[in-house]
Amino acid sequence: MAVPSLRRALFLAAAAALPFSQLVAGQTIQTEEGVVLEANEKTVAPAGKAVADSNAPEAFVLTDDVIANLSDHNLSNITLFAFPEDDGTTEVQKRTFLASSGCKTAPGDPLWPNRSIWLVFDLLTGGALIETVPIGAVCYPNSGVYNAAKCQTIMANWTSSDLHTADPTSIMFPMFQGETCMPQNGNSSTCTLGGFPVYAVKATNVTQIQLAINFARNLNLRLVVKNTGHDFLGKSTGYGALSIWTHNLKKLEYIKSIKTPSYSGPAFTIGAGIEVKELYEAANKHDVTAIGGDCRTVGVAGGFTAGGGHSPMTSIAGLGSDQVLSIDVVLPNGRFVTADETHHPDLFWALRGGGGATFGVVTGMTVKVWPKTNVSGMTFTVVSGNTSALTNDVFWEGMYAYWRRFPEYAKAGTHGYSLVFPSPLTDGFAFLMNPFWAPGMKLADLKTLVQPLLDEWTKIGFNAGFVGSPKFFEYDNYYDAWTASYPPEAVSTTSVRTASRLFPAKNWEDEETLTGMMKAVRSVVEDGSALVQYNMQAKAPAGTPDSATNSHWRDTVWYGIFGTSWNASLNAAGVEAINRKITEDWMGRLRGYGPGGYLNEGDVMEPEFGEAYFGSNYERLRQIKKAVDPTGLFWAPTAVGSEEWEVQGQKKWLTLQTGKLCKKAAL
Ligand SMILES: Cc1cc2nc3c(=O)[nH]c(=O)nc-3n(C[C@H](O)[C@H](O)[C@H](O)COP(=O)(O)OP(=O)(O)OC[C@H]3O[C@@H](n4cnc5c(N)ncnc54)[C@H](O)[C@@H]3O)c2cc1C
Ligand SMILES: *[C@@H]1O[C@H](CO)[C@@H](O)[C@H](O)[C@H]1NC(C)=O
Ligand SMILES: *[C@@H]1O[C@H](CO)[C@@H](O)[C@H](O)[C@H]1NC(C)=O
Ligand SMILES: *[C@@H]1O[C@H](CO)[C@@H](O)[C@H](O)[C@H]1NC(C)=O
Ligand SMILES: *[C@@H]1O[C@H](CO)[C@@H](O)[C@H](O)[C@H]1NC(C)=O
Ligand SMILES: *[C@@H]1O[C@H](CO)[C@@H](O)[C@H](O)[C@H]1NC(C)=O
Ligand SMILES: *[C@@H]1O[C@H](CO)[C@@H](O)[C@H](O)[C@H]1NC(C)=O
Ligand SMILES: *[C@@H]1O[C@H](CO)[C@@H](O)[C@H](O)[C@H]1NC(C)=O
Ligand SMILES: *[C@@H]1O[C@H](CO)[C@@H](O)[C@H](O)[C@H]1NC(C)=O
Ligand SMILES: *[C@@H]1O[C@H](CO)[C@@H](O)[C@H](O)[C@H]1NC(C)=O
Ligand SMILES: *[C@@H]1O[C@H](CO)[C@@H](O)[C@H](O)[C@H]1NC(C)=O
C-alpha cells in the first residue's frame, strides 16, 4: 500500500456496517492522533460560506477558509476534500494518480476509499450520500431489499420517465448500464451493479457538489453527473463511479426584467434539476413563453441546454443554448463561479452547446423568455401497404413533396415534428405528423402555407393513405398547445440504438444533391430504420452571444433521428450486425449529406464525433477542456476530450459504461 496519506486518513469509531443514514447524526470521528470529534450535521455539514457576488446569492460555498477550519477541528484528513494547487492537482491526487496505472480507481482497487472514508464524505455532505441500490433490486428475491409490492409498481411504471428521474441512478437507456438488475428478470437472474455508479450524492446545495468534485478528483475516482437520466448515449452512468445527482436542485424564480450586454427583458433563474414541464408551467403563469424540449421531463439546465436543445419554438427562438444569460457552475477544480458575457467568457461560450459533464457541474442558470404566443398547427396520419389504397411508391413521392418544402417551412418559422417508419406487418410505411406546429402564425396563414403541399398530395394520389383527414388546431398560448400536442413519451425500452443527422439547407440548392439525399433517407427507412424527423431552422436569434453550439445546427432545416430495435433474444452475431448497420451502413449512406449530428440524440459510436457533434467549434472546445479540466475529472462518451480515454472490455461496435475507465496509451 503505497499511499501513506490515505493510511493516515481518518476512520470512524462507529461500526462500519451501519447504513449511512443511521450514522449521520451524533457520530464521532476519531483522528489517527486519537482526538475524538463529534461530527454531525451541525458541526460538519454546513461546510460552506455565504457568497455575495454570485447569481445564486443565497449559495454557501466551500472555500479554502472552510477547509482550513475543518482541519483545525482535526477533521483529518481533510486534504481529501481540498482544492488543487496552482498546477491543478493536490498532493493526494498526484500520489493516487501515480499509483493508478492510468485508470480511474474502481472498487476492488487497493486505493478505493474504504467505508470509513465514504462515511466522512457522507457527514460532510449532510447525509447526502446514497449507496447505489439498482432500481430493479426490489424484484430480486436474493437482493436483500426484495419487495413484491414495490416491484409491481416499478414494473407497471417502467416506461414512465418520472420513475427513472426520481431514482438516484436509474437511466432511460438501460443498455448502457449493461441491462443489469432489470426488474423484469427478478426471478431469473442476479442483481449486480453493472454500469451503475457505486455512490450518488443527492445534491441540494453547491457545497455538496464542491465536496464531491474535490473528493473524486483527489482520489482519482470516476465522476458522473446524472440529472434525469434521459441521455441517449449512456453519459449519465458509469461503472465504479461517484455520481452527482442534480435532480433536486429545484430553484425556479421569475425575473420581471434583467439587463445584460445583449438582452433586456424577463427571464427565469432555474436550478439544475428543473424539468421542461416545470419551466413551462411557470412561464404560463407569468404569461411568457419559455424554451425547453418537447418532452416533459428533460432537464432544461442539464444536458438539454449543454447540448444545444431543440424545441417546438426553435425556428423562432433558436436553440436552448441560445437562451442562456448566465450560468452557475462548479468547475473541475471545485471552485464555484458564475459565467456570463463578461465573466469567464470562455466557459460561458463552452457551456452553451459544448455538451454536459465536461466543464463542471452546472448548478443553475438564468434564461431569457419570449412573449406569450398563439400557436396554430396540423396533425395527420398516412399509411401505405396492403391495408391501404396508397402504394409505397406514391408514399415516397408524397414524402419527397413534403421534404422539398423544408427550407420554405423552416424560414416561415414553423416546426414540423413527424415520424416515418416501416410497418412490416402490412408491407408498408406509416407517416405521423405529430404536429406541424406554427408559433405566432394565424391558423388561416398556416392553411395558406400548407395548401400547395395538400394540393400536390391530392394530385399524386397520396391522399389515399390518409387515416381520417388532417386536423387543424389553434391555441392562444404555448402551454396549452404543447400540452395537447406532446403527450409523455415512453422510455427505457431495451435493445434499441439511435443515430442522428443534421441536413443543411444548401442540399436543397442543387437538384442532384437534393434527390440523392431524399433517396438515401428513403433507402435507410426501407431497410428498417425508423425516422423521427424535425423540419425547423436553428439559427441563433439576432444578438445572441456566440456559443459552442454545434455549427452544423445553424444551417439545418431537416434533423433526423434514425435507429431501430431488435428482438431481445436475437443472438450475438445478429445484435452485432444490426448495431454495425446503424453506424456503418445507414449513417454511411447519410453522412455525405449531413456531416453533423445532434450530440444529445446521436450515435455513441459516431466515428468522427468531434466534427459531427461540435463542428467547427471542436478545436477551441478541446483547448478550453484542457485548461479547465487538466486531469480529466469529467468524462462521458463523445464528450469533448473523451477520445483520450476508453472504457475497458467493450465491443468495437458499442461502448457501454460497464467497465473501468482508463487513459488510452499515449500514441
Ligand atoms: C423521451 C426523450 C425526449 C427528448 N426530447 C428532446 C427534445 O425535445 N429536445 C432536445 O433537444 N432533446 C431531447 N431529448 C434529449 C435530451 O436533450 C438529452 O437526453 C439531454 O442530455 C437530457 O439532459 P438531462 O439533464 O435531462 O439528462 P441526463 O441523462 O441526466 O444528463 C444528460 C447529460 O448531461 C450531463 N448533465 C446533466 N446535468 C448536468 C449538470 N447540471 N451539469 C453538468 N452536466 C450535466 C450528464 O452528465 C449527461 O452527460 C429527449 C430525450 C428523451 C429520452
Ligand atoms: C493530512 O494529509 C496531509 C497530506 O498528506 C498531511 O500533510 C497532513 O499532516 C495530514 N493531516 C493529518 C491531521 O493527518
Ligand atoms: C480505512 O482506511 C483508513 C486509511 O487507510 C484506515 O486508517 C482505516 O483503518 C480504514 N478503516 C477501515 C474500517 O478499514
Ligand atoms: C469555523 O468553524 C467555526 C465553528 O464551527 C465557525 O463558527 C466559523 O464560522 C467557521 N469559519 C469559517 C471560515 O468557516
Ligand atoms: C486537534 O489535535 C491537536 C493535536 O492532537 C490538539 O492539540 C487539538 O486540541 C485538537 N483540536 C480539536 C479542536 O480537537
Ligand atoms: C447542504 O445540504 C445539507 C443537507 O441538507 C446540509 O446539511 C448542509 O448544511 C448544506 N450546506 C450548506 C452549506 O448549505
Ligand atoms: C406508477 O403507476 C401508478 C398506477 O399505474 C401511479 O399511480 C403512480 O403514480 C406511478 N408512479 C410513478 C413513480 O410513476
Ligand atoms: C417472480 O415470481 C413471483 C411468484 O411467481 C411473481 O409473483 C412475481 O411477479 C415474479 N417477479 C417478476 C419480476 O417477474
Ligand atoms: C400484408 O403483408 C404481410 C407481410 O408481407 C402479409 O403477412 C399479409 O398477409 C399481407 N396481407 C394482405 C391482406 O395482403
Ligand atoms: C389566437 O388563437 C385563438 C384561438 O385559441 C383565436 O381565437 C385568436 O384569433 C388567435 N389570435 C391571433 C392574433 O391569431
Ligand atoms: C423474439 O424471438 C423469439 C425467439 O426467436 C420469438 O419467440 C419471439 O416471438 C420474438 N418476438 C418478437 C416480438 O418478434
Side-chain angles (χ1 to χ4, degrees):
M1 301 274 275
V3 185
S5 76
L6 280 183
R7 290 189 140 264
R8 275 192 280 109
L10 58 130
F11 56 94
L12 265 151
L18 282 174
F20 291 147
S21 55
Q22 294 173 39
L23 274 162
V24 174
Q27 292 301 319
T28 54
I29 289 178
Q30 187 174 17
T31 67
E32 198 182 359
E33 296 81 12
V35 178
V36 175
L37 166 75
E38 182 170 355
N40 58 38
E41 200 169 327
K42 282 203 190 80
T43 57
V44 180
K49 206 178 151 188
V51 280
D53 60 341
S54 132
N55 198 22
E58 77 293 341
F60 281 76
V61 302
L62 191 71
T63 62
D64 298 291
D65 291 358
V66 176
I67 293 283
N69 207 14
L70 289 169
S71 304
D72 290 348
H73 282 71
N74 287 341
L75 185 51
S76 157
N77 193 319
I78 198 65
T79 49
L80 297 183
F81 302 93
F83 292 100
E85 314 292 336
D86 292 344
D87 69 352
T89 60
T90 56
E91 283 303 312
V92 182
Q93 185 183 358
K94 277 178 192 152
R95 279 192 299 271
T96 49
F97 194 75
L98 274 179
S100 71
S101 61
C103 296
K104 300 278 184 184
T105 300
D109 290 348
L111 293 179
W112 180 254
N114 66 23
R115 199 171 168 83
S116 303
I117 295 172
W118 286 106
L119 283 163
V120 170
F121 181 46
D122 184 42
L123 285 167
L124 286 169
T125 56
L129 193 64
I130 297 168
E131 215 170 352
T132 301
V133 176
I135 189 168
V138 291
C139 297
Y140 286 70
N142 297 328
S143 66
V145 293
Y146 180 73
N147 181 322
K150 278 191 186 158
C151 174
Q152 281 310 313
T153 309
I154 285 172
M155 299 230 280
N157 290 297
W158 187 247
T159 61
S160 148
S161 54
D162 287 332
L163 176 76
H164 306 280
T165 295
D167 184 88
T169 51
S170 189
I171 55 170
M172 298 182 206
F173 285 80
M175 179 171 82
F176 292 105
Q177 49 84 348
E179 289 178 14
T180 188
C181 201
M182 296 293 279
Q184 297 82 358
N185 303 334
N187 288 335
S188 55
S189 74
T190 310
C191 177
T192 63
L193 266 188
F196 282 120
V198 188
Y199 293 97
V201 176
K202 178 180 173 180
T204 51
N205 59 44
V206 170
T207 308
Q208 294 161 327
I209 295 173
Q210 293 182 287
L211 288 163
I213 284 181
N214 283 350
F215 183 65
R217 190 193 57 247
N218 287 331
L219 291 184
N220 184 43
L221 306 181
R222 181 165 180 195
L223 183 69
V224 302
V225 186
K226 185 209 161 185
N227 182 20
T228 66
H230 272 86
D231 196 82
F232 274 58
L233 292 77
K235 290 164 85 173
S236 35
T237 196
Y239 164 81
L242 167 64
S243 174
I244 297 175
W245 183 36
T246 58
H247 165 68
N248 294 288
L249 293 164
K250 289 290 192 186
K251 178 175 175 169
L252 181 58
E253 199 178 289
Y254 182 63
I255 304 170
K256 262 199 171 130
S257 175
I258 192 170
K259 204 168 161 28
T260 75
S262 63
Y263 177 79
S264 167
F268 273 104
T269 293
I270 58 175
I274 288 296
E275 296 165 41
V276 167
K277 62 182 174 193
E278 294 166 317
L279 179 60
Y280 285 179
E281 273 159 21
N284 190 44
K285 255 185 221 139
H286 291 281
D287 274 338
V288 293
T289 307
I291 306 306
D294 312 342
C295 174
R296 280 144 207 268
T297 51
V298 161
V300 182
F304 175 79
T305 296
H310 62 83
S311 83
M313 292 297 291
T314 294
S315 290
I316 303 266
L319 293 165
S321 54
D322 296 326
Q323 316 308 317
V324 183
L325 303 173
S326 73
I327 305 188
D328 292 329
V329 57
V330 181
L331 300 176
N333 66 7
R335 304 290 179 182
F336 175 67
V337 303
T338 297
D340 59 23
E341 278 179 81
T342 41
H343 306 95
H344 307 280
D346 273 358
L347 269 173
F348 185 58
W349 180 83
L351 288 166
R352 292 174 300 134
T358 305
F359 306 100
V361 175
V362 168
T363 60
M365 55 178 61
T366 299
V367 290
K368 64 178 167 190
V369 293
W370 295 74
K372 184 176 176 179
T373 181
N374 256 33
V375 178
S376 60
M378 168 177 72
T379 59
F380 57 76
T381 299
V382 175
V383 297
S384 69
N386 66 19
T387 57
S388 163
L390 178 62
T391 65
N392 289 338
D393 277 348
V394 178
F395 177 90
W396 288 110
E397 251 187 82
M399 286 306 308
Y400 292 170
Y402 174 49
W403 288 338
R404 282 183 178 278
R405 290 174 165 86
F406 273 19
E408 178 198 349
Y409 291 161
K411 221 177 188 170
T414 67
H415 177 88
Y417 169 63
S418 60
L419 310 166
V420 184
F421 52 86
S423 90
L425 294 179
T426 60
D427 265 343
F429 298 89
F431 173 30
L432 274 56
M433 178 54 70
N434 229 3
F436 192 120
W437 164 286
M441 192 181 281
K442 288 195 176 74
L443 182 55
D445 294 338
L446 171 66
K447 287 183 171 169
T448 307
L449 180 71
V450 299
Q451 197 55 49
L453 173 64
L454 299 180
D455 290 345
E456 186 173 345
W457 280 347
T458 307
K459 201 173 126 207
I460 64 175
F462 185 73
N463 286 13
F466 271 115
V467 179
S469 45
K471 288 190 182 62
F472 289 90
F473 61 80
E474 184 170 29
Y475 292 90
D476 74 352
N477 71 87
Y478 177 86
Y479 185 76
D480 289 346
W482 171 77
T483 306
S485 302
Y486 293 93
E489 293 175 54
V491 299
S492 294
T493 40
T494 54
S495 312
V496 61
R497 265 285 289 288
T498 59
S500 72
R501 299 258 68 90
L502 298 164
F503 299 110
K506 71 169 165 33
N507 290 355
W508 275 255
E509 287 163 14
D510 172 62
E511 181 59 28
E512 201 179 314
T513 309
L514 176 58
T515 44
M517 170 178 67
M518 295 193 301
K519 283 184 175 161
V521 171
R522 170 182 175 168
S523 77
V524 166
V525 178
E526 285 179 332
D527 214 5
S529 176
L531 166 62
V532 178
Q533 63 178 348
Y534 300 76
N535 168 214
M536 62 185 152
Q537 58 177 357
K539 296 190 190 318
T544 306
D546 184 34
S547 76
T549 306
N550 190 350
S551 52
H552 294 294
W553 261 121
R554 300 311 191 177
D555 52 2
T556 292
V557 294
W558 185 11
Y559 163 51
I561 305 176
F562 299 84
T564 193
S565 55
W566 56 91
N567 188 328
S569 46
L570 186 62
N571 63 25
V575 174
E576 174 172 353
I578 188 80
N579 276 270
R580 282 190 184 275
K581 188 174 208 165
I582 295 170
T583 306
E584 296 164 16
D585 177 3
W586 291 351
M587 289 307 104
R589 294 184 219 173
L590 303 179
R591 267 185 207 104
Y593 298 105
Y598 177 31
L599 71 93
N600 275 353
E601 297 172 329
D603 180 3
V604 70
M605 304 313 287
E606 184 68 31
E608 298 292 329
F609 71 83
E611 164 57 26
Y613 295 159
F614 306 95
S616 58
N617 295 320
Y618 197 54
E619 271 323 302
R620 182 172 170 203
L621 281 166
R622 278 179 51 143
Q623 296 309 316
I624 296 173
K625 170 74 175 175
K626 283 209 172 85
V628 172
D629 187 13
T631 60
L633 174 62
F634 286 87
W635 183 91
T638 76
V640 173
S642 60
E643 63 276 8
E644 294 182 13
W645 298 77
E646 68 195 342
V647 181
Q648 287 192 335
Q650 299 304 303
K651 306 213 157 61
K652 273 214 165 63
W653 43 271
L654 181 60
T655 297
L656 305 178
Q657 295 311 315
T658 50
K660 256 188 165 183
L661 182 62
C662 298
K663 193 113 188 178
K664 280 187 192 160
L667 295 172

